[in-house]
Amino acid sequence: MQIRNPAFFEAPSFWKSDWGEVNAYLDGVKAGQVWEIGRSHGGLPIRAVAYGPKEPIERRGNPFSAEAFGHPEDFFDPRKRTRPVVVLISTVHGVEIEGCVACLNFAHLMESGADLRGRRWEALHELAAGMRVVLVPLAQPDGRVRSAVRHLRGGSLADLSYYGQGVPKPDAGGDLPEGWHYRYSPVPVDRMEYQGGYTNDGGINIDLDDFFSAHMAPETRALMDLVRDETPDGFLVMHSHNPGPWIASPNALVPERCQYHQVQLGALVAARHRRDDLRPAWRAKAGLDRSGYFGTINLPTALHHVSGALPLAFEFPHGLAPNPYTFDEILDIGLTLFEEILRYIQTWGRQRGR
Ligand SMILES: [Zn+2]
């Protein structure tokens, strides 16, 4: 791996994004419950931390049999649960660590009453205290360890591409099509000079895994099992990109009710970020995108189908040049995002009617 800019490896102490420092923080958690939900392809632990008690779910069917016979309560009966449940998942792609920082600061708020900068988020804290919130700060450890940078603030698209999707060996391309080194699944890791953080050690991008196959990546399996087991009201998968903060467009392959919620919550989060001068990206569309990424089964869609939960995906800004977001702004984007999502789920979650 190249050190393209030494500044990428340094960050303020509240910016917990490094593999070692995130795990050290989780080792010290007291109010939350920490456990291992699975292991990566490379054998690293994938850890979750939960705040709020877990209520038992009595199953008499799977999500599909229950729906098909008109009795969704055979899989999950929201009337029997008293607290809304939300699952927050970050760093599916190893270099996209902004959501992990937000998760750790949220954990610290629940542990101590303030984030790691000492800021109290009273509305968020109060909302979370009445719910069960499960965090998976580093869902894909292999790529996190491999990409190693703490952030990419002030960097270029070339830096993002290097630490994200990596670079093939100089003679590996031949007559292969453009983008083969991150588009193929699995990525042929033996032909990469540097693999980047996008994929696990087996070369799998878990956001677009082979979801119905026995060869599903262990990270994907762990997330599917967690979300099915929790059957949350909603869950969020956090990524990062170059533009401003943005709740992803609706997925074509989830029920319409979920698509309406995705649009509404996207507007609420953008309005909050605009109000707080956090410069949301303007990518809303009037119509539903039925092609490409939003027209296929990606990780949020797959997690919806094993749980029935409202699927949400979010893109943080990396803060690349020429308009870098500050560390503080990126963290504020995350904590205001969590507050808006928790409030929405508390208001419109499954137990309040579909
Ligand atoms: Zn991503």
Side-chain angles (χ1 to χ4, degrees), residues 118-325:
R119 278 189 58 182
R120 310 179 75 83
W121 294 79
E122 274 156 28
L124 173 59
H125 195 182
E126 194 184 318
L127 278 164
M131 304 172 77
R132 173 172 169 84
V133 183
V134 182
L135 312 165
V136 183
L138 293 178
Q140 203 263 88
D142 295 353
R144 174 74 289 253
V145 169
R146 204 182 307 113
S147 57
V149 293
R150 283 186 157 83
H151 67 91
L152 288 172
R153 287 189 55 254
S156 64
L157 281 173
D159 294 325
L160 172 57
S161 162
Y162 179 80
Y163 291 110
Q165 296 167 336
V167 283
K169 288 177 179 164
D171 56 352
D175 53 0
L176 292 168
E178 197 184 339
W180 66 272
H181 70 281
Y182 57 85
R183 154 183 150 191
Y184 285 5
S185 183
V187 162
V189 295
D190 54 330
R191 295 159 85 172
M192 304 287 283
E193 182 172 289
Y194 170 58
Q195 198 186 328
Y198 211 60
T199 51
N200 72 5
D201 280 0
I204 300 293
N205 166 12
I206 66 166
D207 192 37
L208 293 167
D209 202 348
D210 201 352
F211 293 108
F212 296 99
S213 146
H215 308 297
M216 193 192 297
E219 297 87 349
T220 316
R221 179 80 272 156
L223 294 172
M224 298 273 259
D225 290 347
L226 173 76
V227 171
R228 187 187 195 279
D229 184 51
E230 294 286 343
T231 313
D233 296 271
F235 63 86
L236 173 70
V237 179
M238 288 172 270
H239 293 263
S240 306
H241 67 173
N242 183 31
W246 178 62
I247 286 258
S249 302
N251 299 104
L253 299 183
V254 297
E256 266 187 355
R257 66 184 163 80
C258 289
Q259 297 174 23
Y260 288 125
H261 286 306
Q262 289 171 335
V263 170
Q264 291 187 128
L265 190 46
L268 287 169
V269 169
R272 174 66 183 272
H273 286 156
R274 189 173 303 282
R275 217 158 52 233
D276 290 5
D277 199 22
L278 294 169
R279 310 187 292 288
W282 183 248
R283 294 182 61 173
K285 285 186 181 176
L288 180 61
D289 194 345
R290 293 188 182 278
S291 63
Y293 182 81
F294 296 105
T296 191
I297 300 214
N298 48 37
L299 183 64
T301 313
L303 294 174
H304 162 79
H305 286 293
V306 296
S307 65
L310 171 63
L312 298 164
F314 182 73
E315 297 277 359
F316 279 86
H318 278 298
L320 304 183
N323 294 309
Y325 286 74

Side-chain angles (χ1 to χ4, degrees), residues 6-18 21 97 101 149-153 327:
F8 294 155
F9 296 82
E10 289 161 22
S13 61
F14 68 80
W15 189 268
K16 294 202 185 297
S17 58
D18 175 75
E21 67 193 358
I97 30 67
V101 173
V149 293
R150 283 186 157 83
H151 67 91
L152 288 172
R153 287 189 55 254
F327 289 112

Side-chain angles (χ1 to χ4, degrees), residues 59-127:
R59 311 261 199 224
R60 292 174 303 276
N62 68 47
F64 314 107
S65 63
E67 200 66 43
F69 291 110
H71 287 278
E73 74 278 9
D74 287 351
F75 176 68
F76 169 64
D77 188 349
R79 292 166 304 182
K80 292 187 176 157
R81 190 157 74 188
T82 62
R83 284 172 174 256
V85 178
V86 176
V87 176
L88 306 173
I89 298 164
S90 184
T91 316
V92 160
H93 297 138
V95 78
E96 300 172 14
I97 30 67
E98 289 72 13
C100 168
V101 173
C103 283
L104 272 280
N105 276 269
F106 175 82
H108 201 67
L109 174 67
M110 301 309 289
E111 294 287 323
S112 73
D115 71 17
L116 288 158
R117 303 169 297 186
R119 278 189 58 182
R120 310 179 75 83
W121 294 79
E122 274 156 28
L124 173 59
H125 195 182
E126 194 184 318
L127 278 164

